[in-house]
Amino acid sequence: MFRSLLVAALLFAPAGAVAEEYFVVGVAQRQGQEGSWWGTELWVTNTTASTGGYAVVFLPVGQSNLEGLRVEPTLEDIPPAATVLRKDVVPEGGLGALRVVTTPGVMVYCRVFNAAGRGSFGLGVPPLTRAAATRPGEIAHLVGLRRSPQFRTNVGVMNLSTDNGGVRIRLVSERGEVVGEQPFRLAPGAYLQLTDILHAFGQQRAENVRAEVSGTVPFVAYAAVIDSRSGAPTLVQPLR
């Protein structure tokens, strides 16, 4: 009964009055490079004194996710003050992003980790709203990217809009020289991951590289610098 009332409230309440929407990018449940196995855990916490609700939509890599952006998912109940740990939000072999819809006061946080590595917690990935997106005309800077026998860097970008668009990634050395540049097309809601990006751009060994990411649609971008000795990733959030 509560779930039906909650869905009705989401559908008929004024825009922004009930539903909250978050995105978590770079989630995985699959084999990676150098024997890594990437897993994802999602915490959902109800900070209120009333029963709340949440729903998780998985958006796979490399395709249009227009339907996933538009769908009004059925919410699951979460008791007052409770925290739920979800280990099943990414299907086996999956890579992509999550769209999480919640009632007010229900918060989410994510961990992406290498289960085959010797690291500990992994990436603590904060949820992002549409308001946090980099807009056309802005540049997201990802700093401290590395490529060596010890380190490699992955970059992820997601189109948060329902329009087709594109992003351009430019790699800049510590001396200010452009060492690589390439455009990429992004369908609505599409997630793009560039694995070992510096190597893919022809850089066999590089330190202190900065990626400049710009786009024709609102997008979010991040990087993960991975230590090959431990298999542990470090999250690089964009500067604007």
Side-chain angles (χ1 to χ4, degrees):
M1 179 66 177
F2 168 80
R3 185 169 301 168
S4 298
L5 293 173
L6 193 56
V7 172
L10 283 170
L11 292 176
F12 299 111
V18 176
E20 308 282 351
E21 183 184 42
Y22 301 100
F23 295 91
V24 181
V25 297
V27 298
Q29 190 73 259
R30 65 186 289 175
Q31 185 81 38
Q33 289 187 332
E34 299 179 345
S36 59
W37 178 267
W38 297 101
T40 298
E41 295 179 346
L42 183 75
W43 287 274
V44 184
T45 298
N46 184 0
T47 64
T48 75
S50 304
T51 300
Y54 75 96
V56 183
V57 180
F58 176 64
L59 307 174
V61 69
Q63 66 173 58
S64 171
N65 288 302
L66 182 59
E67 182 178 348
L69 289 182
R70 290 178 170 174
V71 68
E72 296 173 339
T74 301
L75 302 182
E76 298 187 41
D77 298 349
I78 182 168
T83 295
V84 175
L85 174 59
R86 294 287 303 270
K87 300 182 179 182
D88 59 349
V89 291
V90 180
E92 185 81 14
L95 172 67
L98 302 177
R99 174 178 172 241
V100 186
V101 179
T102 74
T103 54
V106 175
M107 306 169 66
V108 296
Y109 196 73
C110 187
R111 176 169 88 107
V112 178
F113 60 98
N114 179 7
R118 298 187 301 277
S120 53
F121 188 82
L123 296 180
V125 185
L128 302 171
T129 64
R130 291 182 186 271
T134 302
R135 304 290 170 177
E138 298 178 335
I139 297 176
H141 299 268
L142 302 170
V143 302
L145 311 189
R146 312 175 71 177
R147 212 285 173 171
S148 69
Q150 181 179 339
F151 295 101
R152 67 185 187 275
T153 300
N154 297 341
V155 167
V157 185
M158 181 183 176
N159 177 3
L160 290 190
S161 81
T162 56
D163 298 321
N164 287 293
V167 295
R168 177 173 293 272
I169 299 178
R170 174 184 294 173
L171 299 182
V172 183
S173 74
E174 58 187 335
R175 296 182 299 275
E177 301 168 344
V178 176
V179 297
E181 185 171 4
Q182 188 171 339
F184 298 90
R185 295 175 62 88
L186 285 179
Y191 172 72
L192 167 72
Q193 178 160 307
L194 301 171
T195 301
D196 201 357
I197 185 173
L198 298 181
H199 181 263
F201 275 64
Q203 303 299 303
Q204 299 295 324
R205 194 179 188 102
E207 300 283 341
N208 302 323
V209 175
R210 173 169 53 90
E212 296 179 350
V213 188
S214 58
T216 62
V217 289
F219 68 89
V220 294
Y222 80 100
V225 179
I226 302 162
D227 188 333
S228 297
R229 295 174 303 179
S230 65
T234 298
L235 178 66
V236 178
Q237 298 191 67
L239 303 175
R240 299 206 305 269

